[in-house]
Amino acid sequence: MHELSLMENVVATLRASAAENRIKKITRIQLVVGKLTMAVPEALQFAFEVFKEEDLFKSAVLEIKEEPVRGECKECQHAFEIKDYEFLCPSCSSPQVKLVGGRELYIDFYEGD
Amino acid sequence: MVKVRLAAPVLQQNEEVARENRTFFQKHGIFVLNLMSSPGSGKTSTLERTIEHLAGSLKLGVIEGDIYTTRDAERIEAYGVPVVQINTAGACHLDARMIRPALEDFDFGGLDLLIIENVGNLVCPAEFDLGEDARAVVLSVAEGNDKPLKYPLIFRQAQVVLINKIDLLPYTDCDLSLLEKDIRAINPDLEIFRISARENTGFSPWLSWLKEQVKIKKQKA
Ligand SMILES: [Zn+2]
């Protein structure tokens, strides 16, 4: 699935940033992944293994923080977690719901030497 | 130990290139549609019927995304429409960078509409912006009712759903009103059209929508 190409992008970003910060070994990576991206944490971990041969990532631990799908009602401003992909306001039943969470896909931070 | 806070979006690079593609299309006044589906939904047949219907009224180009083969591109070429083939070499989706070199292969002067047929997959294409104006999902009644709830992102990101193989409805256990209700729960703003590419029925409302979008884009250019 698309986890491998997502990891390619993660790794490329890390490589560039590590070079900039003169970091030779990355020890810890925190990745934030919204549930709506459909990226499976296990598959991301598996994809990351591919890059572990590289010195930079050899001792790196990948931590994945999952974010729930969240909505905000455009009618009554009620903020809520979207369960079962039902984009309907639980407070006023309006279908006009703005997506405010669940699409996250970013590297929060990394640590290294 | 050094801690570096990045807060860097993983797909930032893709989004930058998508923005460049969008600027390019905007300059030429071309409406770009990203056509997506799971395998076997009848996406290519839907595209073929759409091309037939639009012949003579709109000038159209097609980008064919496929993992390895050129089969779909050959099918489209038979209609006398300019086609550029992109093989993703294993990747399960097109991304903005793959689109860019293909742009040099078209003569964009006078082109009204560009349809990008994405790789057959409901998960990955949803994540990658190509610089398109709209996304359409082809979904067949033979696929079962649970597709929208299994792949909500693509329906959330789309503007149109084409429910295909309507002629097969009596032979499936698909509940059309339930299917549409699920789709609307995910995205109430979606345009839903019921079609049969095989029997060539139901295309009028879809074609009107498409022509309207092309007109709006032209006016903005
Ligand atoms: Zn509300």
Side-chain angles (χ1 to χ4, degrees):
Chain A
M1 284 289 151
H2 65 330
E3 283 83 357
L4 187 61
S5 53
L6 294 179
M7 276 324 289
E8 270 168 12
N9 285 283
V10 169
V11 160
T13 306
L14 288 170
R15 268 191 212 118
S17 175
E20 221 172 83
N21 292 289
R22 292 197 190 83
I23 289 168
K24 299 267 181 297
K25 272 196 184 340
I26 291 178
T27 49
R28 183 174 170 217
I29 303 157
Q30 173 119 291
L31 194 63
V32 180
V33 179
K35 283 230 165 89
L36 201 55
T37 65
M38 313 302 278
V40 181
E42 291 76 25
L44 286 169
Q45 292 286 4
F46 185 74
F48 184 58
E49 289 302 313
V50 175
F51 302 98
K52 281 239 175 157
E53 284 184 14
E54 225 173 296
D55 274 348
L56 182 63
F57 302 109
K58 207 167 250 166
S59 46
V61 176
L62 174 67
E63 289 170 15
I64 295 169
K65 206 172 128 205
E66 275 198 286
E67 290 287 338
V69 184
R70 302 195 54 85
E72 195 185 285
C73 177
K74 289 185 194 168
E75 305 285 339
C76 75
Q77 276 72 51
H78 180 62
F80 58 99
E81 187 177 334
I82 294 163
K83 300 242 170 75
D84 305 322
Y85 307 116
E86 181 108 36
F87 290 77
L88 205 63
C89 174
S91 173
C92 76
S93 302
S94 165
Q96 293 304 319
V97 172
K98 193 170 83 186
L99 189 69
V100 293
R103 294 277 286 121
E104 298 84 354
L105 195 55
Y106 63 90
I107 305 161
D108 190 13
F109 64 83
Y110 68 93
E111 294 171 354
D113 298 296
Chain B
M1 199 263 301
V2 189
K3 181 165 178 171
V4 182
R5 271 214 177 270
L6 270 182
V10 169
L11 299 176
Q12 195 167 20
Q13 238 189 353
N14 186 70
E15 267 137 46
E16 278 163 23
V17 180
R19 217 171 298 130
E20 288 167 19
N21 291 350
R22 192 165 279 120
T23 307
F24 177 92
F25 296 134
Q26 180 65 37
K27 204 177 74 195
H28 289 84
I30 298 161
F31 182 75
V32 182
L33 183 82
N34 183 356
L35 191 63
M36 309 185 287
S37 80
S38 54
S41 65
K43 178 161 42 102
T44 307
S45 309
T46 299
L47 179 57
E48 287 176 301
R49 293 293 88 74
T50 302
I51 292 169
E52 276 175 2
H53 283 292
L54 291 176
S57 63
L58 287 182
K59 244 186 107 184
L60 176 127
V62 172
I63 292 178
E64 267 300 332
D66 199 291
I67 299 182
Y68 295 112
T69 73
T70 57
R71 259 196 10 236
D72 289 346
E74 284 158 16
R75 272 171 70 177
I76 299 306
E77 218 159 28
Y79 291 86
V81 167
V83 186
V84 176
Q85 165 83 32
I86 302 175
N87 282 117
T88 60
C92 44
H93 59 269
L94 290 169
D95 69 30
R97 253 175 318 181
M98 299 176 193
I99 298 297
R100 199 176 7 198
L103 300 185
E104 287 161 23
D105 298 334
F106 280 107
D107 175 14
F108 279 96
L111 209 62
D112 304 304
L113 170 66
L114 176 68
I115 299 180
I116 303 172
E117 184 174 352
N118 217 314
V119 177
N121 174 348
L122 287 178
V123 182
C124 318
E127 204 61 68
F128 294 84
D129 187 358
L130 305 178
E132 71 276 53
D133 294 289
R135 296 172 165 200
V137 181
V138 181
L139 186 69
S140 80
V141 299
E143 290 172 71
N145 259 14
D146 58 347
K147 279 278 157 71
L149 292 174
K150 254 167 110 176
Y151 306 100
L153 181 61
I154 205 158
F155 292 94
R156 188 71 195 177
Q157 303 283 86
Q159 284 70 43
V160 175
V161 174
L162 296 156
I163 302 182
N164 190 25
K165 304 190 187 178
I166 281 296
D167 54 306
L168 296 182
L169 203 56
Y171 312 104
T172 68
D173 44 22
C174 173
D175 179 339
L176 206 51
S177 59
L178 190 65
L179 180 66
E180 292 187 356
K181 190 174 149 263
D182 284 346
I183 293 172
R184 292 216 191 278
I186 294 165
N187 187 349
D189 300 326
L190 272 168
E191 302 275 353
I192 302 177
F193 303 113
R194 301 174 179 185
I195 58 164
S196 164
R198 198 176 65 135
E199 301 204 320
N200 202 1
T201 52
F203 276 79
S204 274
W206 155 239
L207 298 165
S208 305
W209 182 87
L210 209 47
K211 285 179 187 167
E212 183 63 23
Q213 304 307 310
V214 170
K215 205 171 101 193
I216 293 168
K217 185 79 188 253
K218 277 255 182 293
Q219 283 164 354
K220 276 196 266 176

